[in-house]
Amino acid sequence: LNILYMQSTAMTELLLLFTMTAGVYELVKWSESDNPFDLLKSAFWIMLYTLMRYDEWFLFFEDIVIISVLVYRKHGYKTTEGVIIFFSTLGAVGMILWFFWNQLIFKDALYFIFGPYSAHTQQAQLDAAGDLITKGDLPLSIKTYFYALIYNSGAFNAILGFFGAAALAIDKRVKSEVKITSSALVAPLIFNILALYLGFSVLFIQGIFGNTWFNVRYGIMMMPSIAIFVGFLVDRLKTLRPVLIGLLLFVLFFSFTSADAVTIDDARVGASQKNVTEVAGWLNSHAANQPGFILISAASHDAIIFSSGLPMSRFIHEGTGLYWDYATTDPAHWAHWIVMRTYDNNDLTYKAVSKSGELSDYQLIGKYPFADIYQLKNQYLSQLVTTPILGKQK
């Protein structure tokens, strides 16, 4: 049920699951066939995988280790070196291009790691607020991610998956090469626990961290692995196969009838839920039929922009180039309305506008939980720019 919900959202999780599973599948095929084309196909899927999220680069490096172990055992160092270069030439191209893109656009190849919108910066703010509870606590990190895994896949499925993984590891009929390459299926488990422990990630589970959810969808990343391990267990336990399949269908049926989807709970409760309808509704009612731009930080208020129903061309935000530069230094000349969290320097609009000294040209007309709305005073409307005038920007 969680998978069905996630595929209906504009998130990358389902593409990640697809490319990860395809990449590991081709890697397992290569371990049996020793066919370079299978390894090339694995590299292709892994390359696509690394383009979707930074944290998925972990699987690429785990695959490098797995390939090195397998090839070195059979052929020694020289061949291992060649195979790793062969795999990395395609597998690493997405990561290399991402460094190049950051250098080209932001003049800093590491902008995505240390920039103002990076996970590092966000986690630093949470750490300062004391919300990175799992940082430095390995048992709690393990517990937190296992809870996320179980909530997403179901306790019964997760338990069967654990026994299936154990059965695969000890089954003498399975080649050691297949066992080693199949270990790539647990890459999301290892990475997410390490990320929580090192403070690179944040995940809130209701009951462990108060009455809230946040990023619980991370548990979905182990679903293909659980499905494969369960399938292996069902295949091996022929006498219990009807019982296991019956129990799986039983659990699945009640999961659907009870609408038990933790990813939906995450979207409706706590940190992921923002009721921005008041701000968005005001903009839709009052700004839609009046000329002028709305100055807002997309990094902080993308939900307001989307929910307002107004075209993106009505907003001046970080992605609008010179409009943003000019509007944040001289807002009264460019912005009819300003939407921001007053006195919050994490809101880039407030951080910039507060330095301009022109906020006194605006009147506060709406104060809401997630943002305040300011409107330019009538005496300054004559100098207001209401149509695009800068032309095509670089």
Side-chain angles (χ1 to χ4, degrees):
L1 192 59
N2 289 292
I3 290 289
L4 289 177
Y5 168 69
M6 289 305 299
Q7 64 84 33
S8 71
T9 68
M11 304 293 285
T12 59
E13 271 70 17
L14 271 293
L15 283 172
L16 284 171
L17 298 185
F18 169 64
T19 51
M20 179 190 75
T21 308
V24 175
Y25 170 71
E26 295 295 348
L27 190 67
V28 173
K29 278 181 62 180
W30 165 78
S31 72
E32 291 191 294
S33 67
D34 212 20
N35 184 344
F37 186 59
D38 290 332
L39 189 61
L40 189 66
K41 287 188 288 184
S42 177
F44 170 75
W45 292 117
I46 296 301
M47 180 269 292
L48 293 181
Y49 185 67
T50 60
L51 282 171
M52 295 179 204
R53 285 178 67 96
Y54 307 124
D55 49 8
E56 310 313 332
W57 294 14
F58 184 80
L59 179 62
F60 169 79
F61 293 107
E62 182 174 346
D63 285 352
I64 292 292
V65 174
I66 290 171
I67 293 167
S68 300
V69 170
L70 292 179
V71 178
Y72 186 81
R73 290 198 318 175
K74 292 181 179 180
H75 306 290
Y77 174 78
K78 286 293 184 183
T79 304
T80 302
E81 183 182 51
V83 172
I84 292 300
I85 293 173
F86 175 75
F87 177 81
S88 300
T89 300
L90 179 58
V93 70
M95 294 184 287
I96 294 171
L97 288 175
W98 194 239
F99 282 108
F100 176 74
W101 188 86
N102 277 266
Q103 181 63 42
L104 184 68
I105 302 299
F106 303 109
K107 313 306 178 187
D108 180 4
L110 301 179
Y111 185 84
F112 69 98
I113 298 177
F114 300 113
Y117 310 110
S118 65
H120 174 270
T121 301
Q122 295 173 18
Q123 263 47 288
Q125 294 171 1
L126 290 170
D127 194 17
D131 290 332
L132 278 186
I133 302 175
T134 59
K135 184 178 180 180
D137 190 333
L138 186 58
L140 182 59
S141 299
I142 295 172
K143 177 183 178 181
T144 300
Y145 189 70
F146 268 94
Y147 266 75
L149 187 158
I150 289 170
Y151 273 120
N152 277 278
S153 62
F156 180 68
N157 299 332
I159 292 170
L160 285 187
F162 172 79
F163 283 111
L168 176 61
I170 64 176
D171 196 321
K172 295 181 179 179
R173 290 170 289 181
V174 179
K175 296 179 181 179
S176 61
E177 292 83 0
V178 174
K179 293 180 181 180
I180 293 172
T181 49
S182 296
S183 66
L185 290 168
V186 299
L189 176 68
I190 298 171
F191 171 81
N192 279 284
I193 291 174
L194 283 175
L196 289 170
Y197 172 71
L198 297 173
F200 296 155
S201 179
V202 59
L203 198 166
F204 294 160
I205 300 295
Q206 194 175 57
I208 300 180
F209 304 104
N211 188 35
T212 188
W213 300 98
F214 188 55
N215 287 338
V216 73
R217 70 184 189 282
Y218 289 172
I220 274 183
M221 296 311 299
M222 279 298 292
M223 274 194 164
S225 307
I226 290 174
I228 291 168
F229 293 143
V230 169
F232 181 84
L233 185 68
V234 171
D235 178 73
R236 286 294 186 260
L237 299 178
K238 292 181 173 58
T239 56
L240 293 177
R241 188 178 298 169
V243 176
L244 291 176
I245 293 176
L247 288 172
L248 285 167
L249 291 173
F250 179 81
V251 170
L252 184 66
F253 172 78
F254 281 101
S255 173
F256 272 81
T257 55
S258 62
D260 187 16
V262 71
T263 47
I264 296 178
D265 294 336
D266 189 355
R268 296 170 60 186
V269 178
S272 293
Q273 184 269 345
K274 285 187 176 182
N275 184 10
V276 298
T277 53
E278 293 172 316
V279 179
W282 191 96
L283 291 175
N284 184 274
S285 300
H286 296 82
N289 298 318
Q290 293 190 53
F293 297 113
I294 303 161
L295 179 60
I296 189 171
S297 169
S300 300
H301 304 297
D302 56 339
I304 292 175
I305 295 174
F306 176 79
S307 301
S308 71
L310 300 177
M312 285 295 292
S313 58
R314 293 294 307 278
F315 296 93
I316 296 177
H317 54 84
E318 303 94 319
T320 54
L322 291 176
Y323 288 98
W324 170 262
D325 295 338
Y326 293 161
T328 51
T329 55
D330 184 16
H333 188 64
W334 294 90
H336 194 160
W337 301 273
I338 299 176
V339 177
M340 62 185 180
R341 291 192 300 269
T342 313
Y343 305 117
D344 184 355
N345 281 319
N346 292 320
D347 188 315
L348 295 184
T349 302
Y350 174 75
K351 186 176 182 180
V353 169
S354 61
K355 296 177 182 178
S356 72
E358 293 194 18
L359 194 56
S360 59
D361 297 344
Y362 290 81
Q363 57 180 339
L364 177 64
I365 56 175
K367 193 171 183 64
Y368 302 103
F370 293 106
D372 303 328
I373 304 174
Y374 291 81
Q375 182 170 286
L376 189 64
K377 294 177 181 177
N378 291 333
Q379 60 263 40
Y380 301 108
L381 290 177
S382 59
Q383 65 181 18
L384 187 65
V385 174
T386 59
T387 57
I389 62 172
L390 296 179
K392 186 177 181 182
Q393 299 182 60
K394 294 182 179 180

